[in-house]
Amino acid sequence: MSSKLSAVKGMNDLLPEQAELWELVEAKVSEVFRQYGYRPIRTPIVETTPVFVRAIGEVTDIVEKEMYSFNDALNGEALTLRPENTAAVVRAAIEHNLLYDGPRRLWYFGPMFRHERPQKGRYRQFHQFGVEAFGMAGPDIDAEVIQIGALLWQELGLTPFITLQINNIGSAADRQGYAKALTAFLEQHVDQLDTDARNRMHSNPMRVLDSKNPEMQALLASAPLLTDFVSDESKAHYAALQALLAAAGIAFEENPRLVRGLDYYNNCVFEWVTQELGAQGTVCGGGRYDGLVEQLGGKPTLAAGFAMGIERLVLMLESLSLIPASALQVVDIYVLVVGEGVVAEGLALARSLRTAFPDLGIIGHCGGGKYNSQLKRAYASGARLAVILEQDADTSATPNTVKLRRLDDSGQSETTDIDSVVAKVGEFLSISA
Ligand code: HAM
């Protein structure tokens, strides 16, 4: 026997029950995006590697350790499976001139790839919903993207379990001043630094702050705070955002250590976090990235956005038992097709029922078999009603009647003329066609 094949580690199959829950979440999220006037954009899952290196930053966990990069076997081009989508959306927006005729509000959904150590809530293929808003200075647009998140948690029943953390990381110039102070601090403690921190303390000291090493985090507790290096202009923007959030009734916590793991941010950054998921508690992250469009070759364009991981949202819904009953697809009617001579009629009957009752789930039996074995399948499907088309065993004639049978304890059944089957089904299920 040949050996069993399995999925790539950290990349998950979604079996029907989970996939149905995902569809429900996807429908809710995309509906909210649409309500806010955001339009969909779909970009390839593979980009040339510089798109991500230039956007996310050379000295970051994602670029240094987590990207699935390879050379195109034909032309040697360096390619990368997207680890996030802000860079790719900016690349596409520049390439197709989307940014020169006023503000743009875009959203996306799709798989992202990071070569991280898999654990609950952290995968190598995961899926993000994201919004990117271009051409607006804020803080109104910053408040809008945060409000979108708040509305989503409300729609999903997650509001009590998710907290908003915000921080102001200042302008690129502010951060240069901070980087110097941070490097000086790290130099003073060089003996206590791990290899990563030593490697980064000169090239990108901000990214030392992302360290997952508890010893580094303990040391960093006494490091200088970025907040103390932020310019007045940036502070005014941040204060105005806080006022807008308060006016919108959105509670937030300030977290001066929140710096995000990607280099493109400036001014306001935020994360929505939960206690429900253990170590992987960030369900959504974002902020302003006013320099990125120019950095990737476009005209200077202000920007803000966020992305959230749908796996983490679904884990929360599952662990809090908040899965709506409507998430699971139901079968309402099972059409039995008994006799080889009525297969075509059976297909037509099921089709006409679907046309008459577009909101119902209707399975037409396939594969033949005796009445009893088909009835068993009907019960197993969870359908409420069986519609039975049976060829006359003696004459082999096509019947002009069908039988309806309730698949409940009553077992109530009735034979009806095939032309009145729609009305009769409606009566049985107390719905009108
Ligand atoms: P990020 O913080 O790297 O930001 O990712 C956003 C969200 O994606 C996280 O909060 C988390 O829910 C989910 N996520 C990230 N990595 C994984 C993983 N390995 N497994 C499962 N879920 C994961 C960004 O990607 C930015 N592009 C967000 C953004 C958009 N900023 C501005 N616009």
Side-chain angles (χ1 to χ4, degrees):
M1 204 170 73
S2 53
S3 60
K4 264 198 200 158
L5 300 171
S6 48
V8 177
K9 194 170 172 218
M11 304 197 182
N12 301 316
D13 297 311
L14 289 178
L15 302 181
E17 266 152 50
Q18 255 185 320
E20 282 166 0
L21 176 56
W22 275 51
E23 282 188 355
L24 184 115
V25 174
E26 287 166 35
K28 283 202 187 217
V29 177
S30 52
E31 178 61 20
V32 168
F33 290 166
R34 235 180 287 276
Q35 284 172 347
Y36 274 80
Y38 285 69
R39 298 182 66 196
I41 182 163
R42 298 182 189 206
T43 57
I45 59 167
V46 182
E47 295 279 341
T48 60
T49 301
V51 169
F52 301 114
V53 175
R54 277 165 62 183
I56 298 168
E58 215 145 345
V59 186
T60 56
D61 277 357
I62 295 180
V63 170
E64 283 184 342
K65 307 176 197 167
E66 297 170 2
M67 296 209 302
Y68 282 89
S69 297
F70 55 98
N71 292 329
D72 186 306
L74 286 183
N75 63 10
E77 194 170 27
L79 302 176
T80 293
L81 295 187
R82 63 185 183 191
E84 62 102 55
N85 211 28
T86 306
V89 167
V90 169
R91 192 270 308 142
I94 297 169
E95 188 170 335
H96 303 286
N97 290 317
L98 298 188
L99 303 178
Y100 301 122
D101 53 356
R104 279 274 175 183
R105 289 172 165 85
L106 302 172
W107 72 269
Y108 54 83
F109 172 64
M112 309 292 156
F113 302 84
R114 295 184 194 176
H115 201 275
E116 298 190 81
R117 201 141 46 81
Q119 57 171 242
K120 183 180 161 195
R122 189 169 72 193
Y123 308 104
R124 289 180 173 170
Q125 176 178 321
F126 59 98
H127 298 72
Q128 284 184 344
F129 265 109
V131 301
E132 311 294 354
F134 296 101
M136 290 162 275
D140 44 7
I141 188 65
D142 311 346
E144 177 181 293
V145 297
I146 290 174
Q147 196 182 45
I148 291 176
L151 182 57
L152 288 172
W153 320 141
Q154 196 183 316
E155 289 280 311
L156 295 167
L158 293 172
T159 306
F161 312 100
I162 298 186
T163 310
L164 173 64
Q165 296 193 344
I166 60 173
N167 191 24
N168 182 10
I169 63 166
S171 65
D174 299 343
R175 277 199 310 284
Q176 273 173 13
Y178 174 64
K180 274 192 197 139
L182 186 57
T183 302
F185 169 85
L186 295 169
E187 278 170 346
Q188 279 165 19
H189 298 87
V190 72
D191 296 344
Q192 293 157 263
L193 299 184
D194 65 12
T195 320
D196 255 5
R198 277 181 206 211
N199 288 341
R200 291 175 174 188
M201 62 186 280
H202 294 290
S203 54
N204 195 354
M206 284 277 292
R207 296 280 73 92
V208 177
L209 303 177
D210 302 335
S211 173
K212 288 161 193 151
N213 178 347
E215 284 170 25
M216 284 302 98
Q217 283 305 332
L219 175 67
L220 290 166
S222 55
L225 277 179
L226 176 52
T227 321
D228 298 329
F229 291 77
V230 167
S231 60
D232 287 345
E233 193 189 339
S234 183
K235 278 184 183 148
H237 184 117
Y238 188 51
L241 170 64
Q242 294 189 16
L244 288 177
L245 292 177
I250 298 173
F252 58 86
E253 281 171 10
E254 282 191 77
N255 177 357
R257 304 212 166 268
L258 175 67
V259 288
R260 310 276 298 131
L262 307 97
D263 279 352
Y264 50 63
Y265 292 109
N266 66 284
N267 284 349
C268 323
V269 292
F270 62 88
E271 284 185 353
W272 293 94
V273 297
T274 181
Q275 303 295 323
E276 304 294 323
L277 296 179
Q280 306 306 321
T282 308
V283 289
C284 175
R288 293 204 64 85
Y289 51 96
D290 295 317
L292 183 59
V293 176
E294 191 177 10
Q295 206 179 308
L296 294 192
K299 291 209 181 119
T301 306
L302 304 170
F306 71 72
M308 62 197 203
I310 183 169
E311 283 83 358
R312 294 184 188 176
L313 286 177
V314 167
L315 275 174
M316 283 187 78
L317 293 174
E318 285 169 346
S319 74
L320 293 162
S321 303
L322 289 174
I323 299 175
S326 60
L328 296 187
Q329 195 183 318
V330 282
V331 174
D332 299 283
I333 300 175
Y334 196 98
V335 180
L336 280 72
V337 186
V338 188
E340 277 173 22
V342 289
V343 170
E345 289 77 4
L347 286 170
L349 172 62
R351 173 90 181 84
S352 63
L353 289 171
R354 288 186 195 106
T355 309
F357 303 104
D359 294 336
L360 300 187
I362 301 175
I363 290 185
H365 182 85
C366 290
K370 298 226 163 65
Y371 173 85
N372 276 344
S373 72
Q374 292 198 25
L375 191 63
K376 248 191 212 164
R377 291 270 178 87
Y379 274 108
S381 75
R384 290 181 282 160
L385 183 67
V387 174
I388 302 151
L389 181 71
E390 188 166 13
Q391 190 173 16
D392 190 307
D394 300 327
T395 64
S396 291
T398 307
N400 49 17
T401 59
V402 290
K403 198 160 115 185
L404 272 54
R405 174 174 169 153
R406 277 192 204 285
L407 298 172
D408 58 12
D409 292 343
S410 79
Q412 183 200 349
S413 67
E414 195 174 324
T415 300
T416 184
D417 194 81
I418 203 158
D419 295 333
S420 4
V421 66
V422 166
K424 218 26 159 190
V425 165
E427 239 173 69
F428 261 70
L429 296 180
S430 308
I431 43 174
S432 51

